[in-house]
Amino acid sequence: MPTQLEIAMDVMIRTFHRYSCREGDRFKLSKGELKMLLQRELTEFLSCQKDPELVDKMMQDLDANKDNEVDFNEFVVMVAALTVACNDYFVEQLKKKGKERQVDLKILFQSSQGYWLIGPKQSEGGYPASDPLFPSLNCSGLTNFPGQLREAVDHDPFPHLAGGASPKRELEGEPLYRRALRCVDMLSLQGQFTFTADRPQLHCATFFIAEPEEFITIHYDLVSIDCLRGDILQVFDGWILKGEKFPSSQDHPLPTTERYVDFCDSGLSRRSIRSSQNVAMIFFRVHEPGNGFTITVKTEPNLFPCNIISQTPNGRFTLVMPHQHRNCSFSIIYPVAIKISDLTLGHLNGLQLKKSSAGCGGIGDFVELLGGTGLDPSKMLLLADLCYPLRGPAQMKVGCDHTVLRMVSSGKHINRVTFEYRQLEPYELENPNGNSIQEFCLSTL
């Protein structure tokens, strides 16, 4: 599993490229893209501003080379400045611990338009001795009013730091959804779920699926099983169905044995387990009637989604792999028509290359279309591989029960593929329009 620092780096890269690809230069933020990023990713900061020219001023300050665009290096300067300012504030609070105070504003950095300032939250009475190192991650928005103090805005700018939503948001949300689990079950909702055996249940499993851009966390609330008698309760990072795994062993960062977390081995030392993608599952066996367990399932944003099973038969998605040596599969458990509208492979550097008759096997960055009847992409039929730039959309009908678009990345480049998909109608399956060997799911362009 990646470390917290590695995740933070991934999030910053992913966030930048999610917005930079919308118009103009795909690797730079235009003024419109910067505004959209601020509105969606720094919501509190932007909402407390009264300057209608704020985005223009930020663009002018961040655009070091004056090309009217913000590249990744310039974007990092903004994120680093905000982070340094917050850290300075928290360290200052530790020095003043236990004292009532009204904290002065601190200069974040000087711009050509004046001073960008950060106004920390006013604290009443200091922090108790039992508080953690950073007991309250609360900063106000930034202002561009040099020499003026402003009251701090009471909000949490890091609602997903250290996992999960803030307690404030949870309390304001809807009541926790609760229901009983069946021996074989599938869930796409957050909530608290309880399984109680009414008779010996020896072969049970629950499949969890979230939105493509979400992780799943499974938390043990209560467990009453007899491990010595042969009961089991295991969480698996992914899905297993009929002996086939998703993600495949070629695509998941961990060896298969490390993807299992067995309660009978770890107990409550691993009370919460988070998936690496939008699917997870539990296996369980309970011999004694009345025994069972209660779990709470929550989702949290994954700003760097990789290895996804779609909940729906129709949709549109963009896979981006910035400088990571990983394989990512997007799985659709339906026969579909798929259209690839954009393909950017960093190793091409904009050159228009011809497709090699030898395929893409010797190239480190490429996209595959796969089809089959099982769950494991590594066991599917290769329908097409793309390692060259597209001259217009590529469309394909895949008559298989299971369709996968898979991106293979060497880690040396930024790769991106955007695609749309829809479930094939019954008449399209009956008339495959040139799929000469339907049982092998051969495709047509």
Side-chain angles (χ1 to χ4, degrees):
M1 297 290 291
T3 66
Q4 290 297 309
L5 181 58
E6 289 170 335
I7 291 173
M9 293 167 65
D10 284 345
V11 167
M12 187 162 63
I13 295 170
R14 159 65 68 163
T15 301
F16 178 85
H17 289 290
R18 285 180 66 189
Y19 294 92
S20 69
C21 65
R22 296 171 185 267
E23 62 183 23
D25 191 328
R26 295 172 179 172
F27 303 106
K28 293 183 180 180
L29 292 168
S30 66
K31 177 183 172 181
E33 291 168 335
L34 175 64
K35 183 176 181 179
M36 184 181 296
L37 186 151
L38 292 172
Q39 288 174 334
R40 296 185 180 181
E41 308 298 337
L42 291 172
T43 308
E44 298 290 347
F45 159 60
L46 203 61
S47 65
C48 66
Q49 304 304 310
K50 298 180 180 180
D51 186 353
E53 298 179 357
L54 175 67
V55 175
D56 290 324
K57 293 176 180 178
M58 289 195 68
M59 172 68 79
Q60 183 175 344
D61 290 326
L62 294 173
D63 184 16
N65 59 5
K66 305 304 177 186
D67 62 353
N68 293 318
E69 294 177 306
V70 174
D71 64 21
F72 184 76
N73 291 346
E74 294 162 342
F75 169 73
V76 169
V77 169
M78 178 187 73
V79 176
L82 288 167
T83 307
V84 168
C86 284
N87 178 69
D88 288 346
Y89 164 57
F90 297 136
V91 171
E92 186 68 20
Q93 302 322 296
L94 291 176
K95 294 178 181 178
K96 295 183 178 181
K97 196 171 183 180
K99 299 178 182 179
E100 290 189 14
R101 67 269 188 190
Q102 169 69 51
V103 181
D104 293 334
L105 292 174
K106 292 185 177 294
I107 294 174
L108 177 58
F109 59 87
Q110 186 174 8
S111 76
S112 59
Q113 301 295 328
Y115 288 96
W116 292 92
L117 304 172
I118 184 165
K121 176 185 176 183
Q122 180 179 357
S123 176
E124 298 179 355
Y127 303 117
S130 60
D131 276 359
L133 179 60
F134 297 125
S136 178
L137 295 182
N138 285 301
C139 298
S140 75
L142 296 178
T143 72
N144 194 27
F145 305 104
Q148 297 182 5
L149 299 182
R150 64 179 304 253
E151 294 182 1
V153 180
D154 182 9
H155 75 280
D156 184 357
F158 305 112
H160 303 300
L161 188 64
S166 66
K168 179 178 178 181
R169 295 194 179 189
E170 288 184 355
L171 291 174
E172 293 175 348
E174 298 179 357
L176 190 66
Y177 174 73
R178 292 178 172 87
R179 82 160 172 83
L181 282 180
R182 297 181 287 269
C183 178
V184 178
D185 216 334
M186 177 174 285
L187 296 168
S188 60
L189 297 172
Q190 301 182 78
Q192 189 177 68
F193 306 97
T194 299
F195 177 81
T196 304
D198 57 355
R199 62 183 186 277
Q201 298 280 14
L202 305 183
H203 305 286
C204 298
T206 300
F207 297 82
F208 302 97
I209 184 167
E211 294 298 321
E213 295 178 333
E214 290 180 335
F215 294 117
I216 298 170
T217 297
I218 299 172
H219 179 81
Y220 293 129
D221 298 315
L222 177 66
V223 179
S224 177
I225 63 174
D226 189 347
C227 296
L228 295 178
R229 190 178 175 184
D231 288 0
I232 62 171
L233 178 58
Q234 296 179 331
V235 175
F236 181 74
D237 190 8
W239 278 5
I240 297 180
L241 189 62
K242 297 181 179 179
E244 296 196 3
K245 300 182 293 293
F246 183 92
S248 71
S249 300
Q250 296 178 3
D251 296 346
H252 198 280
L254 294 177
T256 300
T257 54
E258 295 182 23
R259 294 166 66 179
Y260 291 92
V261 178
D262 193 328
F263 175 84
C264 289
D265 291 337
S266 61
L268 293 178
S269 63
R270 291 195 64 179
R271 194 159 193 154
S272 293
I273 301 103
R274 192 182 77 169
S275 68
S276 302
Q277 61 286 310
N278 77 321
V279 293
M281 68 182 300
I282 57 173
F283 299 96
F284 53 97
R285 176 191 302 151
V286 182
H287 288 86
E288 185 68 24
N291 282 355
F293 56 88
T294 297
I295 58 174
T296 296
V297 177
K298 295 184 178 181
T299 62
E300 56 186 286
N302 175 9
L303 297 180
F304 194 68
C306 177
N307 295 319
I308 298 154
I309 293 182
S310 175
Q311 290 193 42
T312 63
N314 307 293
R316 176 185 173 89
F317 199 76
T318 298
L319 274 177
V320 180
M321 185 54 53
H323 299 293
Q324 281 205 2
H325 183 38
R326 291 188 69 182
N327 304 329
C328 292
S329 293
F330 190 97
S331 177
I332 311 157
I333 314 178
Y334 303 94
V336 297
I338 188 165
K339 180 173 74 172
I340 300 175
S341 56
D342 179 63
L343 176 62
T344 302
L345 299 173
H347 67 86
L348 296 173
N349 295 321
L351 298 177
Q352 296 293 315
L353 304 179
K354 294 182 178 180
K355 183 177 180 181
S356 169
S357 59
C360 300
I363 299 175
D365 301 86
F366 56 93
V367 168
E368 296 178 327
L369 280 173
L370 309 168
T373 57
L375 195 64
D376 192 331
S378 67
K379 298 181 180 179
M380 292 184 180
L381 180 69
L382 175 63
L383 306 176
D385 53 357
L386 304 173
C387 50
Y388 55 97
L390 299 176
R391 304 185 184 186
Q395 302 184 55
M396 187 174 296
K397 291 182 180 179
V398 183
C400 305
D401 294 336
H402 196 165
T403 307
V404 168
L405 184 143
R406 182 171 181 260
M407 177 184 286
V408 177
S409 297
S410 66
K412 300 177 182 179
H413 311 285
I414 299 174
N415 298 323
R416 178 190 291 109
V417 59
T418 299
F419 55 96
E420 301 174 19
Y421 54 97
R422 65 167 180 84
Q423 186 175 9
L424 292 176
E425 300 292 342
Y427 75 87
E428 293 179 286
L429 293 172
E430 295 171 2
N431 180 17
N433 294 328
N435 287 6
S436 57
I437 311 179
Q438 187 176 359
E439 58 268 31
F440 288 102
C441 308
L442 293 184
S443 61
T444 57
L445 282 174

